[in-house]
Amino acid sequence: MWLKPEEVLLKNALKLWVTEKSNEYFVLQRRRGYGEDSGGLTGLLVGTLDTVLDSTAKVAPFRILHQTPDSQVYWSIACGASLEEISQHWDWLQQNIIRTLSVFDSGEDITSFVQGKIRGLIAEEGTSAADEEDPERFREAVLRFERLFGLPQREKLVTYFSCSYWKGRVPNQGWIYLSTNFLCFYSYMLGNEVKLVYPWDEVSRLERTSSVLLAESIRVCVRGEDHFFSMLLRLQQTYLIMQQLADYAIVRFFDKETFNAEHPLANPLHITQRALEIHARNQSFRAFFRLPQEENLCEVHESFLWVPFSHVNTLGKICLSENCLCFASQDGSQCHLIIPLWEVFSVELPDHGSRALTVCLRGKRALRFSEVRDFERLAATIRRKCGTAGSPQHYISNPDEEGVMVGQSQAVSTEALMNVFHPHDAENLDPKMLKERMKEQSWQIHFAEYGRGTGMFCTKKTRDLIVRGVPETLRGELWMLFSGAVHDMTSHPGYYGRLLEECMGSSSLACDEIERDLHRSLPEHPAFQSDTGISALRRVLTAYAHRNPKIGYCQAMNILTSVLLLYAKEEEAFWLLVAVCERMLPDYFNRRIIGALVDQAVFEELIREHLTQLTEHMTDLSFFSSVSLSWFLTLFISVLPIESAVNVVDCFFYDGIKAILQLGLAVLDYNMDNLLCCHDDAEAVTVLNRFFDSVTNKDSPLPATVQQASATANDKSIQKVDISDLIKEAYEKYGDIRTEEVENMRKRNKLYVIQTLEDTTKQNVLRVVAQDVKFSAAQLDELYMLFKKQHFVSCYWSVCSPALQNHDPSLPYLDQYQLDQSQFSSLFNLLQPWTTHTHVRSLARSAFRLLDENGDGLVNFKEFMCSLDILYNRSFTEKLKFLFKLHLQPGTQEYSVEDGVIRKCPERGRAKVDLQEYLKQWQEDLQRREENIKDLPRINQVQFIGLTKTLYGVFHGNEEEESLYRAVARVTSLLLRMEEVGRKLQESSPQKMPQSTPTSTAQPETSPTLPTSPETETLAEGEGDQPESPANQQETAPSHSDITPTSTSRPSTPTSSPTGTSSPVFDTPADTPSSPSAVRDGDWSFSFEQILASLLNEPSVVRFFERAIDTDSLIAHARKNQLKDAH
C-alpha cells in the first residue's frame, strides 16, 4: 500500500533492511528475517524485535524509499506484505514516474513532486466508490470543487481523480474534477497555481496516448490546444467517464436529431458515476446482441455452457435482461446465442454439486449451464421473468396465403418481392441453381446442428457460411435474425399496421420527398416498375418517417429499403430499416449524415494503419472520404450490381459496419498499384469505377432480366472479380479488426467530426459578419465563442430548455445560433463598454427589441455584432444615434403595426424562415442605404427624459463624471430654452396651419406628472438612487419660471394637456414622420439633429464617446464572468 511520505534518516539503520532493487530515485528493500536469509541469526533477531517490541504494529516486510542523488534524506512511500504486492508498486513507479523526474532541475522539486503524487494516490484509493461508500468524503470534494472553480451550485460533480497535468515539459500534480458540463483541474505546487475549466461541448479530441516522456496519458484537445493528463491510478476508468461525458454533451447540444428526451441521462442534474457506468454497460450489451433499446442488462453470471455440436463445456457469461437470456463465450467469437424468455417454459436444478441449472425451451431443446456461483438465485430470477415476459402473439404468415394481407386499412404485402416476381423454380437444373441448392443444404445442416431462429448458436462456422453467400430463399429470415429486427417485430405486434393507419393520407415534407424518389429506387428491377413494389416502398418509407420524425426521410433510404423489400416481407422490411437507421448505422440518415462522416474518419484511420504504402503516396486522405461516402450510405448497393451488393448486405447484417470497413480496405488494396500511378483525384475515381464495373457474382441464380449488367460486362479484356472472392479476401486480410475497436474509434472521431462541422459554421458566419464590423479576426472569433457559449449556458442545467430548440443546424449559418431576450441581456451587459449601473444594464432589453427586426424573439450573431460594433468602434454620432433609437421604441405589446406589417411578439414562438424569404431579406439588407439622421422621428418629453437619465447612468463612475454631468445639464437647459423660444414665436404668429399638433409646456421638474410609456418605465428602473454630483445640483435644468411660457397667449383651440391644463395648438415640423414615437398631445419634442448639435459643443461628452475601447480586456472580462453571471 502507498504510505504518507515520512522521512527516514538512516537507510540501513541497525542493518534491519536489505536492498532488493534500486535506481537513481527509488529503493525497494526487504526486512531481514523474511525471505531467503530468514533462517540466519540476524533474521531471528529482527523477527524477535518485530514481535516482542511492537506486537501491535508489526512492520511490513517490504518497503519502497524515495531518494535524490544530492540528498542523504530518504522518504518511505510504500510498503507491502509480499514481494508480489510491493513489485506492483515498483512497476507502477517505473512506468509512470521515472521518466518524468528527468525534467526537473533540482532535487527539492523532484521530492516535492513525488510526495504530492503519492499523497494523491493515497487519497484516490479511498474515492473509488466515494459517492456510495464514503458520502462524507465525496461531499468534501463537492465543496472543494465549488470553492475552487466558482461554478453554479447546480453544476453536478460526477467524480474526481488524482493526476498530473503537463504544462510544457513540467508536470503539475493535482486533481481532475469531472462534472456534468465541465472538465476541471486544479494544482498548487511551490506557489504555482494551475486552474483549468473547459466545457465538454468545446472538446474536439479525446484519446489515450503514450510517448517517450509519458508512459500513458489522456489527451484532451480544446479549441485547437492539446492538454495531457497522466499518472492516473485508474486511467481506463477515467478515460471512459470522460468519453461518456463528452459524448453526452455533444449529442445533447449539437446532435439533437438523435437525442431522445427519454434518454436515461437526459436530466443533467441526475448524472452520477454509477449512472454512467450502467448506461455504458447497457449500450455495450445491446450492441453486442443486437437487442432493442428497451432491453437493459439486469444480471451477469459467469458459467460454463454445454455446447452440443462440439461436445464441450464453454466458459462464458450469462447476461439476463428484461426479456432475453443471452450467453457469450469468453472471447465472444466461439459462440453466442439469444433466448427470448417467452421461449422458456421451465428451469430445473439437476445437480447442486456442480451448481448447474437446465433451461428447457419450446421445441424440445434445453440448455445446460454449470458452475454458476449463485445458480439458485439465477434460476428463481429466470422463472419470475418467464412469468412476466408473455409470448407475443405476433402474426406469422402462412406460405399458402395470398401475397397481400388486407385485414388493415391499407393492403400490406406479406411476400418478399423476389418471390412474387421471380418465384423459386424447384425443377430448374441450371448449374447456378444446383449450387444454390447446395448452399441451402449447407444451411439446413447448420440449422439441424446449431438450431434455427432466435435460439441459434452463432459461431465461426456461421460466419463462414455468410461469407460464402446466403441462399436467396433464406436471405430475409437471416437478415431479420442477425440484425435483431426479429426481436423488435415480435415485441411490437401490430405496430406497423397502426403506423400505416395513422399516417394514411397525411401530407408532409418527408412524404413529398419520398414521392419524388420512389421511381429512382432500383428502376431496372421489374419489382419497382410495377405498382406493387412502388406501393410497398411508399408504405415502408412513409411509416418510418411517421415513426421517427427527427429523421423523417433522407436520400439513400429508398435504395436500401428497395433491396430489403426484395428479400423480406413488407413488415419485416420496415423493422430491418428500423434496425439499420437506429442501431446499426446511427446518425447516418439525418440532415448532416454525421454517422457516415464519423465512419469515414474511422476508415481513414484504418487506411493509415493497414495501407501504409497508399498513405505515403497520398498524404491527404480526404479524397477517400468523399469517394467512399456512397459506399457507407448505401452499403455498396449504389456502386455494385444488385446481385453482388446483396452479398455485402449479408455480411453487414452479421458483422455490422466492420464488414463495410473491411471491404473498403480490400477494394483499395486490390487497386493499390493502379491508385499509386494516379496523378489526381479524377484518375483515382476512374480506377475505382472501372473496378466496381468488373465485379460480378458468378453464383447468382437471378435471371438476366434482374441482374444489373455493367457497361464492361461483355469486354473480355477486363479481368472479372467475383464478389465472394473479394469478401473472402477482406475477411482474411482484415478480419482481425475487432468490433470493440471500431466502436471506440467511432466514439473518438465523433467529437472531431461534430466540432469540424461547428468550425465550418463559425467560419462561414465570421466571413459574412467581418464585412460589416471593425473587429479583428481574433476578436470576432472570441466574440462568436462567447455568443455560442451564452446559448449553451442556459442549457447546461435544464432538461427541456427552450434555448435548445433555438439551435437548428438545418437553418442558414447565421441563424443556427440565436439568443432570446434573457440570454441577449446577460451577454450584452457583460460586453457593453460603460458602467454596470442599474439603469444602463436595463438598456439591454431595449437593444434587443431594436435588433429583433423580424419580431421572432431571437437575435442572431450578425445583429448582435452590429450593435456591439457601434458601441466599440463607431463615431460619436453613431453611438448617440443608437442611444436615441433605443428610446424611440414603443412599449411591448402583443402585436405592433409598423409600416402596415403586423409582427408577432416574441412569446408567440418561432417558425422556420422560408428559404426564399430569407434570401429576400438578405437582398434587402444589401440594398439598404445608409440611414439619414433626418429620417429619425422626433423624441418626445418622456423619451427625452429617459435618454437624459441614460446619459447620467453611462457617465456614472467615470473620472470626469462631474464635468459630464454639467455638460448634460447645460445641453438640457439649452434645448428646453430653444423649445420655449420656438413656442413663443408660434404663439405670436398671426396664422395657424389647419393641421397642427398640440404641445404642452412641461419642465423636467414636473416629469413625474408627465405621461409615461412602459418602455420609459423600464429604462427608468433604479433611477431613484441615481447619484447627483454637486455640479449637477448647481447647473441643473432651468427653473420653472425660466422655461414656462408666458400666460398671455392669444386665443386658440384648447386641448387637454397631460397635466390637466389647456395648452395652445402650434405647428408640427414638416419633417416629423408619423410613428409610434410621434409627438402626442401636450408633449414638447426634439429632433436628433438638435440633440447632436448641442452635445457636439460639449468637448467632455464627445471625448467620452470617442475614447478608444479596450476590446480585448472587455472580452477577457466577459469570458471570465460568463458562468458567474449564470448563478
Side-chain angles (χ1 to χ4, degrees), residues 357-487:
L357 70 154
T358 302
V359 178
C360 301
L361 311 176
R362 293 182 174 86
K364 299 181 179 179
R365 292 182 59 202
L367 300 173
R368 186 177 187 276
F369 299 97
S370 59
E371 300 300 330
V372 183
R373 178 175 298 177
D374 201 353
F375 67 102
E376 291 181 339
R377 187 171 68 86
L378 175 60
T381 304
I382 296 175
R383 290 186 185 121
R384 186 181 70 254
K385 287 183 175 292
C386 288
T388 57
S391 176
Q393 302 299 315
H394 188 270
Y395 176 79
I396 302 175
S397 61
N398 191 314
D400 300 327
E401 69 184 358
E402 296 181 1
V404 174
M405 184 170 62
V406 199
Q408 300 165 331
S409 58
Q410 288 198 13
V412 176
S413 174
T414 57
E415 279 292 327
L417 294 179
M418 195 64 77
N419 295 339
V420 175
F421 288 88
H422 307 287
H424 187 64
D425 187 2
E427 303 299 327
N428 190 344
L429 299 180
D430 181 85
K432 290 184 177 180
M433 288 303 300
L434 290 175
K435 196 160 188 178
E436 184 76 3
R437 290 176 191 170
M438 291 175 61
K439 286 184 182 179
E440 292 177 9
Q441 290 177 0
S442 298
W443 276 97
Q444 295 300 334
I445 294 171
H446 185 275
F447 292 149
E449 191 172 357
Y450 296 86
R452 185 170 186 172
T454 54
M456 183 177 75
F457 284 87
C458 295
T459 67
K460 187 177 182 300
K461 187 175 180 181
T462 312
R463 178 181 279 112
D464 293 339
L465 289 174
I466 290 287
V467 172
R468 286 166 51 188
V470 175
E472 299 280 320
T473 55
L474 297 176
R475 188 160 269 140
E477 176 188 343
L478 294 176
W479 285 0
M480 289 289 291
L481 177 64
F482 297 140
S483 67
V486 64
H487 305 297

Side-chain angles (χ1 to χ4, degrees), residues 315-331:
L315 178 63
K317 291 183 178 179
I318 302 172
C319 301
L320 193 63
S321 68
E322 287 87 346
N323 299 299
C324 294
L325 171 68
C326 308
F327 178 86
S329 58
Q330 196 166 27
D331 59 359

